[in-house]
Amino acid sequence: MTIRVVIADDQSLVRTGLRMILDNADDIAVVGEAGDGAEAVTLVAELDPDVVLMDIRMPEMDGVEATAAIAAAHRARVLVLTTFDLDEYVYAALQAGASGFLLKDALAPDLLSGVRVVASGEATLAPTVTRRLLDRVVTGLPAAPPDDRLALLTGREHEVLQHLARGLSNAEIAELLFLSPGTVKTHVGRILTKLGLRDRVQAVVFAYESGMISR
């Protein structure tokens, strides 16, 4: 099955470079390019891609606003392209519904892997990096009151969510809690369903914002 990708970046050279890398993969096809967020939203509606590579800073409509519009109305998953000096914008994009992020200077294999992982919907990109990002950004936010949705989770699901938010993989959580990886995967699926979340990245953001993880 071919993963259909839209690239959104206001720099044509960046789009060209990304397209060259992605088009060399047998299982990935670039189906469209956008020079700003508004154009990206329009292309997603027209082309129904699996993944959108989304730059943060673009004219007309930035990547955060475009991500929110796409996450609210389309099945496409957004992979944010960024640099670490834009942490606050990445966090905003994750809040808006992005499924992961990738540094613009990432190596080609990492880019391809990132697109495949986000398209699968089964795991987040670099969970430990996501955790470090949230640790840095959320620390500066005011303390949040507990989220009422936490009451929907069982004790075990609450425990799994805490470990997930700390960047552990299903296998690592399984080993820690003496469960099978399949059981952990089931718990994660139920957590996402009960909390109304799209994927693991959103679960990590929820855990921080609900006060589950100390700041």
Side-chain angles (χ1 to χ4, degrees):
M1 179 178 175
T2 300
I3 300 170
R4 303 171 74 252
V5 178
V6 163
I7 300 172
D9 195 296
D10 62 332
Q11 299 182 44
S12 60
L13 285 178
V14 172
R15 296 198 305 271
T16 299
L18 292 172
R19 177 184 278 274
M20 288 177 62
I21 294 172
L22 296 175
D23 280 345
N24 279 331
D26 294 334
D27 59 337
I28 299 173
V30 176
V31 296
E33 296 183 19
D36 59 58
E39 187 179 357
V41 174
T42 298
L43 279 180
V44 169
E46 292 176 353
L47 301 174
D48 189 31
D50 302 299
V51 176
V52 181
L53 287 180
M54 182 76 74
D55 186 23
I56 291 284
R57 287 188 167 180
M58 293 184 291
E60 303 300 329
M61 177 188 288
D62 66 24
V64 175
E65 189 178 353
T67 294
I70 292 169
H74 303 284
R75 69 177 187 86
R77 295 183 177 273
V78 177
L79 176 56
V80 174
L81 298 172
T82 186
T83 56
F84 271 125
D85 62 340
L86 293 175
D87 280 355
E88 67 274 20
Y89 296 101
V90 176
Y91 181 67
L94 295 177
Q95 286 181 304
S99 295
F101 66 92
L102 196 67
L103 297 181
K104 280 194 172 182
D105 60 358
L107 299 176
D110 294 330
L111 173 63
L112 297 174
S113 174
V115 169
R116 291 172 181 134
V117 169
V118 168
S120 74
E122 296 183 358
T124 181
L125 278 178
T128 55
V129 176
T130 302
R131 179 191 169 192
R132 288 200 300 271
L133 167 69
L134 292 170
D135 281 342
R136 290 171 59 181
V137 177
V138 181
T139 299
L141 299 177
D147 193 301
D148 292 340
R149 287 178 291 173
L150 285 173
L152 299 173
L153 303 182
T154 65
R156 178 62 84 185
E157 288 166 352
H158 194 280
E159 196 172 12
V160 169
L161 178 56
Q162 284 186 312
H163 291 306
L164 187 158
R166 294 189 174 100
L168 300 186
S169 66
N170 284 1
E172 291 169 332
I173 296 173
E175 183 176 359
L176 192 64
L177 299 181
F178 302 102
L179 301 172
S180 72
T183 298
V184 173
K185 183 177 180 180
T186 298
H187 282 310
V188 171
R190 289 173 179 167
I191 290 168
L192 297 180
T193 298
K194 288 182 178 181
L195 299 181
L197 304 173
R198 286 166 61 94
D199 52 37
R200 293 171 69 101
V201 169
Q202 298 305 303
V204 173
V205 172
F206 172 88
Y208 273 81
E209 293 188 328
S210 66
M212 286 186 66
I213 305 300
S214 60
R215 299 174 180 179

